Amino acid sequence: GQNIDQPTEMTATEGAIVQINCTYQTSGFNGLFWYQQHAGEAPTFLSYNVLDGLEEKGRFSSFLSRSKGYSYLLLKELQMKDSASYLCAVWAYSSASKIIFGSGTRLSIRP
Amino acid sequence: DTAVSQTPKYLVTQMGNDKSIKCEQNLGHDTMYWYKQDSKKFLKIMFSYNNKELIINETVPNRFSPKSPDKAHLNLHINSLELGDSAVYFCASSRVHNEQFFGPGTRLTVL
């Protein structure tokens, strides 16, 4: 079956660092995406990992371990505007290639 | 100059009615999608079209019928609306197997 797990909610402090984990079990794997979604808005692309390792992009970094079926999104120097849901999504391939989304992690930033 | 646009943004209707949501993208992408996001914020794929051909059709009631008149458009028609159809519907587009760009969403409320 296809399964993507991430924590439902997290809270962090402005200026701090937070790590959002994602584990997945899918039929076939071609890559993993992270999206950010502010309340009432559309998801927007943050990162895409295909190979194992860390991809850094400004304050955001994403890590992938294909052998462990594990990824994390690391957010540094947190700002209030980072309060949003973060969606882990896997590009899976079984009978058809498609992207499967996790249920998202709602991150709240406190001053 | 909006990349992916959807109309209408809000749709309130009575149970049993038929309604359509339109989607257009000007990014030159060859793949378009419809997603449903329910009250628990779970984003689930419904349909995917590549070059006007249906490539993904999840277990969606046949009251939902997508139509792609050309590569830049993917419309969603819903017959005999039910209470459970209330959700936010997102259109998205991508080059095949790349990051997806989402429209602003259509919030459908069935009374």
Side-chain angles (χ1 to χ4, degrees), chain A residues 8 12 18-19 28 56 58 60 74 81 92 98 105:
Chain A
T8 305
V18 71
Q19 177 175 311
E56 297 187 70
F60 293 5
L74 192 70
K81 67 178 182 179
K98 62 182 177 182
T105 298

Side-chain angles (χ1 to χ4, degrees), chain B residues 2-55:
Chain B
T2 305
V4 182
S5 60
Q6 292 177 231
T7 54
K9 190 168 174 61
Y10 299 96
L11 188 51
V12 181
T13 188
Q14 298 286 335
M15 228 170 26
N17 283 351
D18 303 339
K19 290 293 178 186
S20 291
I21 307 172
K22 294 185 176 181
C23 178
E24 176 181 0
Q25 56 96 4
N26 62 5
L27 296 166
H29 291 159
D30 47 18
T31 307
M32 295 185 72
Y33 313 80
W34 275 111
Y35 286 89
K36 177 180 180 181
Q37 189 168 45
D38 59 26
S39 57
K40 295 182 180 178
K41 306 303 180 188
F42 188 53
L43 194 66
K44 188 170 181 185
I45 190 161
M46 300 172 69
F47 302 103
S48 174
Y49 271 73
N50 180 261
N51 284 319
K52 301 196 301 176
E53 286 193 27
L54 181 66
I55 55 173

Side-chain angles (χ1 to χ4, degrees), chain A residues 19-95:
Chain A
Q19 177 175 311
I20 303 174
N21 296 325
C22 171
T23 57
Y24 62 89
Q25 288 178 309
T26 57
S27 303
F29 176 86
N30 286 328
L32 187 142
F33 298 86
W34 282 97
Y35 284 82
Q36 180 191 60
Q37 185 177 25
H38 285 100
E41 297 182 11
T44 54
F45 171 81
L46 289 177
S47 68
Y48 177 49
N49 293 67
V50 177
L51 302 175
D52 285 357
L54 187 68
E55 297 268 351
E56 297 187 70
K57 194 188 289 186
R59 293 188 300 115
F60 293 5
S61 303
S62 57
F63 172 83
L64 175 67
S65 169
R66 295 177 66 139
S67 62
K68 295 181 180 177
Y70 167 70
S71 172
Y72 68 73
L73 181 69
L74 192 70
L75 292 76
K76 303 176 185 176
E77 300 168 18
L78 285 168
Q79 302 175 10
M80 297 303 291
K81 67 178 182 179
D82 298 330
S83 292
S85 287
Y86 291 85
L87 310 175
C88 173
V90 172
W91 173 15
Y93 185 85
S94 52
S95 57

